[in-house]
Amino acid sequence: MNALAPALTPQGRLILAASDEALPLDANPAATLVAAFERGSGHALLHLGATETDTPLPAALAYWRDFGVRYVTAVRTHPDFDTAEIAPPAEAELARIAAGAPPMAGAEYLDASLLASLWRETDRTLRAELAASGESLEGYLKSRNPAWNLVGRVHFNLAENRGDDEAPFAFLATYTTHLGAQSQARHVPLGQALHEYAGARKREQLVSLLAPVQRAAEACEWVKRLVDEGDIYHPLRWTTADAVQLLRDTPRLEAAGVIVRVPSVWRGSRPPRPRVSATVGTKPPAGLGADALLDFKMEVTLDGERLTAQEVKKLLAGTEALAMIRGRWVEVDREKLGRMLETFERIEKESARGGIGFAEAMRLVAGTGETLEEAGDDTAREWSTVTAGPWLAQTLDALRGPEGLATARARTALKATLRPYQEVGLRWLHLLHRLRLGACLADDMGLGKTIQVLALLLTLRDEDRKAKRATRRGLLVAPASLLANWVAEIERFAPDLDVFVAHTSVHPAAELKELETADFAQRDLVITSYGSLSRFAWLRETGWRTVVLDEAQAIRNPGTQQSRAAKALKGDARIALTGTPIENKLGDLWSIFDFINPGLLGSRQAFTAYAKRLAAREHNAYGPLRELVRPYILRRLKTDRRVIADLPDKTEVQAFCGLSPKQAALYAQSVKALEKALLEAKEDGMQRKGLILSFLMRFKQICNHPSHWLGDGAWTPEESGKMLRLAEIAETIAAKQEKVLVFTQFREATGPVATFLASVFGRPGLVLHGSTAVGKRQDLVRRFQEDERVPFFVLSLKAGGSGLNLTAASHVVHFDRWWNPAVEDQATDRAYRIGQHRNVLVHKFVCRGTLEEKIDAMIASKRRLSEDVLAGDAETILTEMSNEQIMKLVALDIHAAAT
């Protein structure tokens, strides 16, 4: 329980959960943290910000601690806390804070609006705690951490002392007594406090006032000297060395509770710094994609003004950390400035020979440094600025905000109308493809990644035809269990795409192994599985126009054979599709980018070291990394208001599943057994009807799992295509922290399915079937609705298919199909009903090549007829089919069923 990590739920709650990736905490902080988090987000942030200020914390908890400290600091400096709300920081500042968040579960929900909401919740929590405790604000904060025990605010003031060359600065310690007009703090010299608080009665107030100064003296030797000699109470003439010492120790002084004030012309409380400034990508590059070479031009600037060579030489030749340039003081670290100047001059010389590489340019613009090996060093960020030139800036703006892109033409063969956000996705994919850059389309499950890719493939093909050039083929790689889904979607939305399925479920392995590029040169698209990549060399040797990886989280482990095979593919443009937020796990992020844009994030070792250096940074730790990868990731959430407005409330998709070898063998044996039994049975009568019904039930059980029919209790996941498909869907749902209902008509399947799902989600869910006590049902519903830690609910169709309100779920899985679609709809409506504020995605499992596929096709093609034929006494109608009709219905298509 000591390995803890914060997570954001889809509802915007900040929770604390066990995590394999979290760093362990000492038992006492862990216990108090858990208690605070269990009380709510406001309590958690208040506890972190007011109490745990000195506790060593992992990066994610430290991030939220910094946010809590920011709130408590705002409270402490607010002129009228008792009567006014502590307003959140400006939206731009909140957006910057959100951008610097470290990886954590639910990070995709983090934005300025959510931070503002958490800020206000923390404010309400503090006021409620103060009211309940009866304490003053000062007493409350003092009881949580002595560092907040400030009765006044002491200021160390630094000012320019013009006309005194020997001591060009002045120092004065002051404190605030009260707020004057326009809420301006009134400052008086600190020495006056000795008179104002004279006498035994006010001694405690004086001690409280000077406590920050005492803490500062313990942290800084020069402050101790001023206190010991009494100079802290008088104005002082200071040299530049004295001023530099104050600037360097400002973080220590502020941590002690002292406010540092510097000349108002110094923005950000620091004197301006000369910067090595560069512009990259002023004009279109030579080449495209990773091979593109961009122009690079540099200069040294001060507040945006270019410095002359003589001024730069003067800066580098001095010895003081503060120098006077153009009538103002500037801060200089000659070693760091010289290093950046040398680096940029070298880059400029190299660019003169043709340009700098695209990946290097993107790292510079994102502020990570020339290489990832340097990227954790703050030197580049503090002493240099790289801006995108007109061409690169326009390109990045288009990638980061694709809504404004021009419409991609063609797609006349697409048998569907794209939704507006899907049009945006197509334009974004098209632009990246044209630039020969990789793309990660990471839309939520159910938002139509498939149709956006099909639209792109048709667009590219139509552009080739219009330009009268040969169409170059694309390659699509997907988990074997999804090949049938892709074929079905192509038949539905892009039927004139010429597709070749390179999988042993369609063609013999020996035949596939002997194929050559010429054998499918005229095809538009080749579809294969991850497992086939290492089996058939021609897949890796062929030069593809487009390579698409579906469920790209399959390559998140770079050491696996299938990851290495996928990254060995040759493609002009690469696209990764995933519904899982890859930004939340750095290892997944690197591995997918190592496929779509190799080299952008460096080697695995360099990236790991870079991530550690980022985590050690105090502010906006992961901002440079997010800025670097943002142009290549397009992620839309079902919770996004702009997307919700364009989505139906309920989306139904067929989740096609294969059969394992054991399932296929049992199914084929059962088909033969049924055929023999029908020949021996009477043409009519109850015996024949009972026989057909029993075999139909057997086929459905075999499609679920061999153990369902055999009754051996094994339920090994690998022996069921449905279990493997359920795992793929559940993993994405778990990564999104969403909830799912799983319906089955068989009570005996509820337990094994729930046990399997618990292993996928990492925690148990709930089960309801006909034997569940009536009094317990409402408690199960309440737990599912209110407890965000309950991820799934497995229900038997008859027991849970009506009368329950389960709107906490945004996914519904029909593990096995009912003959009557109206019954399935009724079960779906447990989630899709009044009170549901999210879109519901319904997954209907169908085993290819079996009875289930034929029933599903009948329902899909003639839903009204199916309701007439299959509704009501549907099973009775099926039993009245002829022997020939029954055998056609249950016949096994072994190629379609193979996984």
Side-chain angles (χ1 to χ4, degrees), residues 7-17 37-41 105-106 109 114 118 121 639 733-740 761-766 780-793 807-810 838:
L8 281 170
T9 71
Q11 289 74 37
R13 283 187 58 220
L14 182 62
I15 63 173
L16 197 63
F37 271 85
E38 286 181 347
R39 295 182 67 190
S41 305
Y109 304 117
L114 178 55
L118 290 172
E121 184 175 350
T639 53
I733 295 172
K736 290 284 297 162
Q737 300 178 78
E738 295 177 337
K739 295 193 175 196
V740 59
F761 281 95
R763 55 186 187 273
L766 304 174
L780 292 174
V781 171
R782 180 191 60 76
R783 286 178 57 195
F784 185 76
Q785 290 290 92
E786 298 177 4
D787 190 344
E788 294 190 61
R789 294 169 294 183
V790 177
F792 63 86
F793 204 159
T807 52
S810 55
R838 291 162 294 176

Side-chain angles (χ1 to χ4, degrees), residues 712-728:
D712 57 14
W715 288 84
T716 306
E718 292 74 17
E719 291 185 344
S720 166
K722 285 188 177 181
M723 297 288 257
L724 296 178
R725 190 75 181 95
L726 181 61
E728 293 170 350

